[in-house]
């Protein structure tokens, strides 16, 4: 049986080949820290790294073959010499029901790290290396980070640690210093659009990528949902400025969130929640500031540049200062967005604050 082989995305092929070359040199690293922007394929890269190291019949380029016993075990989530450490909340939609957590955590805990002891301190089951992948490494809580650091300082024999993080500044420096740094770049717009067109041709890929900060994998997941339609409808309401009907928009958004929650329970990808709405508001505020201060083209929603000019042309001269203050309020609201008490009231409050700017 031929299983799908984990393969780096096109823009990570070179860094993958360089990493493999180092791993098969005379002094391979016992721990690698991959830095990749969120939703640009970092997960696929570290999965390909792990598969290549564990494979028992690698190709001439040292890639995983996809057919040996080790590759089959990895594809079946049952490889005895492989562990994946990640916040358990990320396993809520695991394809194997028994592996879905009852009490999911948003952090990697010290218990998760301690659970590695039996594996890394025993002989490899299949006679090769053991591989531990930690993703996202910046989700290690302090105790877990300190426990992992002790292991990296005295690495067990024949064991490779592969950490993936989106921002090296969020990791404790001593962990970074114990790892070989692998910087995985993000795709340029042309590469990202080409990749997405290979999945489903769509003339709006570039627009969506701009709105989502180039998060190509996130865009690929969302294109089959109603995310972009809802976002466009919401932005069109913001483009009305002081004419926006806060109550009507808040009522509609409450329904969107309820529908998204139901879909998520059925296995659909995460789409709309309060954090999403606040992110849209933050992006709009950023573009609005550009319009007021510089009269330039918007960063996230350029096709609404003229609408921004129109709604701000008769606004008070202090508008830029007011928008800046509102951005601060949005940042504070974003920190508690995972715990909304009353969605409709919350959205209405945020939108009334927006309307008051004008």
């Amino acid at each position: 049986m031929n299983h799908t082989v984990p393969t780096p995305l096109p823009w990570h092929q070179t860094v993958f080949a360089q990493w493999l070359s180092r791993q098969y040199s005379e002094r391979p690293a016992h721990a690698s820290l991959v830095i990749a922007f969120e939703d640009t394929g970092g997960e696929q890269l570290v999965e390909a790294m792990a598969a290549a190291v564990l494979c028992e019949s690698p190709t001439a380029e040292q890639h995983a073959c996809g057919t040996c016993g080790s590759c089959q075990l990895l594809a079946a989530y049952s490889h005895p010499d492989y562990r994946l450490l990640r916040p358990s909340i990320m396993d809520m939609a695991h394809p194997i029901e028994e592996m879905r957590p009852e009490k999911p955590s948003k952090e990697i805990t010290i218990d998760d790290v301690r659970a590695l002891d039996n594996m890394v301190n025993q002989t490899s089951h299949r006679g090769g290396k053991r591989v531990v992948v930690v993703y996202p490494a910046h989700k290690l809580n302090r105790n877990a980070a300190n426990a992992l650091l002790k292991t990296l300082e005295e690495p067990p024999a024949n064991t490779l640690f592969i950490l993936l993080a989106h921002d090296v500044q969020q990791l404790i420096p001593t962990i970074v210093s114990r790892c070989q740094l692998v910087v995985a770049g993000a795709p340029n717009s042309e590469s990202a659009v080409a990749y997405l067109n290979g999945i489903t041709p769509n003339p709006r890929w570039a627009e969506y990528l701009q709105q989502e900060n180039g998060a190509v994998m996130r865009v690929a997941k969302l294109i089959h949902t109603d995310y972009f339609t809802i976002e466009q409808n919401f932005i069109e309401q913001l483009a009305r400025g002081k004419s926006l009907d806060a109550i009507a928009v808040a009522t509609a958004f409450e329904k969107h969130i309820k529908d998204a929650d139901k879909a998520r329970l059925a296995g659909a990808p995460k789409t709309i929640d309060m954090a999403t709405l606040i992110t849209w508001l933050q992006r709009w505020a950023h573009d609005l500031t550009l319009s007021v201060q510089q009269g330039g083209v918007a960063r996230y929603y350029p096709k609404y540049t003229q609408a921004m000019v129109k709604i701000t042309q008769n606004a008070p001269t202090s508008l830029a200062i007011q928008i800046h203050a509102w951005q601060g309020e949005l940042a504070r609201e974003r920190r508690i967005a995972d715990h909304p008490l009353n969605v409709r009231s919350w959205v209405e409050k945020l939108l009334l604050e927006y309307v008051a700017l004008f």
Side-chain angles (χ1 to χ4, degrees), residues 134-316:
V134 184
Y135 165 73
H138 53 270
K139 290 296 184 180
L140 288 156
N141 66 27
R142 180 166 295 278
N143 289 335
N146 289 331
L148 180 63
L149 176 61
K150 290 180 181 179
T151 302
L152 295 178
E153 288 175 335
E154 300 179 9
N158 218 29
T159 301
L160 172 65
F161 288 83
I162 305 175
L163 286 66
L164 171 61
H166 305 313
D167 181 3
V168 70
Q169 301 298 326
Q170 296 184 50
L171 296 173
I172 59 175
T174 41
I175 282 185
V176 177
S177 68
R178 295 295 188 277
C179 299
Q180 170 199 67
L181 197 61
V182 179
V183 179
N188 58 33
S189 180
E190 292 77 13
S191 297
V193 169
Y195 170 77
L196 293 168
N197 274 327
I199 300 173
T200 304
N202 191 313
R204 301 185 69 181
W205 282 133
E207 177 187 342
Y208 295 152
L209 284 165
Q210 186 165 3
Q211 291 174 195
E212 295 300 319
N213 274 325
V216 57
M217 306 312 293
R218 173 172 166 78
V219 172
K221 291 176 184 176
L222 292 174
I223 191 60
H224 299 297
T225 71
D226 56 2
Y227 174 90
F228 291 110
T229 299
I230 295 173
E231 179 180 23
Q232 180 172 326
N233 291 339
F234 184 70
I235 297 304
E236 286 176 354
Q237 292 300 315
L238 294 181
R240 299 178 63 187
K242 63 182 179 181
S243 299
L244 179 147
D245 186 338
I247 296 175
V249 175
T251 302
F253 206 85
E254 180 183 44
K255 183 179 185 303
H256 291 321
I257 289 182
K258 288 180 179 178
D259 290 344
D261 288 342
K262 291 177 183 176
R264 200 177 309 160
L265 290 174
K270 178 180 178 181
T271 53
I272 309 296
D273 57 16
M274 275 303 301
T276 303
L277 178 138
I278 294 175
T279 296
W280 293 344
L281 289 173
Q282 289 175 313
R283 291 173 181 171
W284 181 262
H286 177 275
D287 284 356
L288 211 57
T289 301
L290 285 179
S291 177
V292 172
Q293 293 183 333
Q294 303 171 16
V297 177
R299 161 70 180 82
Y300 295 102
Y301 304 109
K303 75 178 190 178
Y304 293 97
T305 297
Q306 292 304 313
M308 292 181 194
V309 171
K310 183 178 180 180
I311 64 176
T312 59
Q313 61 186 0
N314 295 319

